[in-house]
Amino acid sequence: MRYFITGTAGFIGFHLARRLLQDGHEVTGFDGLTPYYNVKLKEMRHAALMQFPAFRPVVAMLEDRAALEAAVFSAKPDILIHLAAQAGVRYSIENPQAYLRSNIEGSWNILELASRIELRHLMLASTSSIYGSNPTVPFHERDRADEPLTFYAASKKSMELMAHSYSHLHKIPTTAFRFFTVYGPWGRPDMALFKFVKNMMEDKPIEIYGQGNMSRDFTYIDDLVESVVRLSDVVPSELNRVTDGEIDTLSHQAPFRIVNIGGGQPTSLMDFVEKVEEAMGRRAERIMLPMQKGDVPRTFASPDLLLALTGYRPNTTLETGARAFVDWYLEARQELGSVDM
Ligand SMILES: NC(=O)c1ccc[n+]([C@@H]2O[C@H](COP(=O)([O-])OP(=O)(O)OC[C@H]3O[C@@H](n4cnc5c(N)ncnc54)[C@H](O)[C@@H]3O)[C@@H](O)[C@H]2O)c1
């Protein structure tokens, strides 16, 4: 199969592209190498993918319609997976414009292009942030999720809504997945695990928000990749509507479906810190801080729809996942030298 993936120099796109290349597929990877965090880490990810002859990198921005169009038309993909985005909850308070450009205008450019080619399946990355402070747990895809607490969440919700209309008008089979706090090797420097391990290595204290009372449904990267790979074969259609219960989000107006990707096993932030300490073999000095503006107290995925569609749910333990991250970090640190990741 020919895949066109946006965001391949990013954390999730890199892992997904590598898995698909290992499975023998062709991958065109489109990424603007934005400076939101260390570009060297992004270049290292692309360099690792370039060891596969079937990988073709394109470095350009989603907002550059001519470049995006040329890349998609020459790749002629069967499946387009759109992961490139301005990620991060807190940064969306500081710089909302980056989210408007990448996540709304950039995603609209993807939808426009998708309406002009024959795609087997369009897949889009959305987020658990969309649920905001959902009063009930676990979060089901059919819960009302229209009270976003940050512009990041609002931009991803906008993408989901725009995608539904394009899916209806142009009959584009579309799956939007809502990721729940993804972690693992090659992870993002702005996320808690990376910051904790980095500070502990440098004998600096770690900052714990929400006085440690928050909880997150952490998803190990390999579990996420397995879920996406399995879902790529489940092209939304009445033929695969889940009839058992009320869990399916398959639209009655369009070949469009939303699926949570999370294991449904939330962990409190303090338990998470302890797992990281175990993996590091040392204790961290902790600075307890209040909740940050825009943070949600908890995330908790219902994995029922994912399980019904694919027979799979994320299951890697935090012990295993945190250890894999620490092992990678120690190696990558040598390669990156003194560069601040
Ligand atoms: N990591 C998580 O826990 C998580 C959780 C929920 C949702 N998501 C979503 O998953 C996707 C991938 O996230 P990630 O963690 O790999 O983030 P990432 O920041 O590591 O990767 C995103 C990539 O997109 C590229 N990019 C950003 N804006 C661009 C633009 N306008 N044009 C071209 N390239 C651009 C960046 O250079 C980067 O390499 C994103 O859509 C994100 O919102 C991630």
Side-chain angles (χ1 to χ4, degrees):
M1 284 266 218
R2 283 190 300 266
Y3 284 81
F4 188 95
I5 306 180
T6 69
T8 41
F11 167 43
I12 296 173
F14 160 72
H15 280 277
L16 183 61
R18 190 173 60 174
R19 161 72 188 270
L20 292 168
L21 289 160
Q22 281 164 349
D23 288 353
H25 300 290
E26 280 176 35
V27 176
T28 299
F30 186 95
D31 197 300
L33 304 180
T34 64
Y36 170 57
Y37 61 78
N38 194 328
V39 172
K40 190 163 176 200
L41 180 55
K42 298 186 180 185
E43 287 169 346
M44 277 169 63
R45 295 190 186 116
H46 257 189
L49 293 177
M50 273 148 79
Q51 292 176 4
F52 294 87
F55 179 68
R56 195 174 144 256
V58 179
V59 175
M61 295 295 282
L62 294 167
E63 299 90 308
D64 182 348
R65 276 185 88 157
L68 184 62
E69 190 175 302
V72 171
F73 283 173
S74 91
K76 299 187 184 59
D78 302 301
I79 298 186
L80 196 162
I81 307 181
H82 175 44
L83 303 169
Q86 178 57 58
V89 171
R90 295 185 189 134
Y91 185 61
S92 70
I93 300 167
E94 221 175 287
N95 185 5
Q97 196 174 40
Y99 294 74
L100 184 74
R101 292 209 173 120
S102 294
N103 304 2
I104 298 183
E105 186 189 342
S107 298
W108 173 64
N109 284 345
I110 290 287
L111 295 172
E112 267 294 301
L113 267 173
S115 71
R116 291 165 50 201
I117 56 173
E118 278 292 312
L119 272 183
R120 186 177 136 83
H121 200 172
L122 172 66
M123 306 180 88
L124 309 165
S126 187
T127 170
S128 62
S129 297
I130 277 182
Y131 292 105
S133 291
N134 205 35
T136 55
V137 290
F139 298 169
H140 289 277
E141 295 88 343
R142 290 171 65 97
D143 290 351
R144 262 185 79 179
D146 48 13
E147 294 181 349
L149 298 182
T150 58
F151 193 62
Y152 169 59
S155 71
K156 288 288 186 174
K157 180 76 184 186
S158 308
M159 181 191 72
E160 288 184 2
L161 295 172
M162 293 191 297
H164 185 276
S165 70
Y166 269 72
S167 172
H168 166 66
L169 291 169
H170 305 285
K171 304 284 167 279
I172 309 167
T174 305
T175 301
F177 11 71
R178 293 181 179 160
F179 296 152
F180 283 71
T181 317
V182 192
Y183 74 101
W186 296 89
R188 265 176 35 209
D190 61 326
M191 292 184 71
L193 178 58
F194 201 115
K195 291 201 272 191
F196 288 170
V197 170
K198 176 175 186 289
N199 281 15
M200 286 166 77
M201 281 300 297
E202 294 170 5
D203 290 322
K204 291 181 187 156
I206 62 170
E207 294 183 337
I208 300 175
Y209 295 111
Q211 309 293 351
N213 294 323
M214 298 196 284
S215 63
R216 292 288 178 270
D217 204 342
F218 291 97
T219 312
Y220 187 61
I221 183 68
D222 290 357
D223 294 350
L224 175 136
V225 166
E226 182 63 30
S227 305
V228 172
V229 167
R230 286 178 184 231
L231 276 175
S232 68
D233 283 337
V234 188
V235 179
S237 138
E238 283 300 333
L239 297 174
N240 53 36
R241 182 181 287 282
V242 178
T243 48
D244 181 17
E246 288 287 293
I247 57 172
D248 206 348
T249 53
L250 181 66
S251 167
H252 289 285
Q253 319 297 332
F256 178 93
R257 181 184 267 131
I258 291 174
V259 187
N260 283 343
I261 300 193
Q265 291 192 309
T267 305
S268 81
L269 197 46
M270 293 320 295
D271 283 347
F272 180 66
V273 169
E274 277 169 25
K275 295 286 183 299
V276 178
E277 288 177 333
E278 278 165 29
M280 293 283 291
R282 64 170 87 174
R283 242 182 93 77
E285 190 191 327
R286 302 152 188 209
I287 301 179
M288 307 305 279
L289 294 168
M291 245 171 79
Q292 299 277 94
K293 214 171 160 184
D295 274 354
V296 296
R298 60 187 174 179
T299 63
F300 185 164
S302 160
D304 295 349
L305 180 56
L306 175 65
L307 193 58
L309 294 170
T310 65
Y312 180 81
R313 68 188 278 181
N315 54 27
T316 300
T317 62
L318 260 179
E319 285 84 352
T320 306
R323 195 166 296 280
F325 176 84
V326 171
D327 290 348
W328 167 78
Y329 180 87
L330 296 177
E331 247 184 71
R333 201 164 163 259
Q334 279 175 2
E335 199 172 328
L336 279 166
S338 60
V339 178
D340 188 7
M341 293 205 249

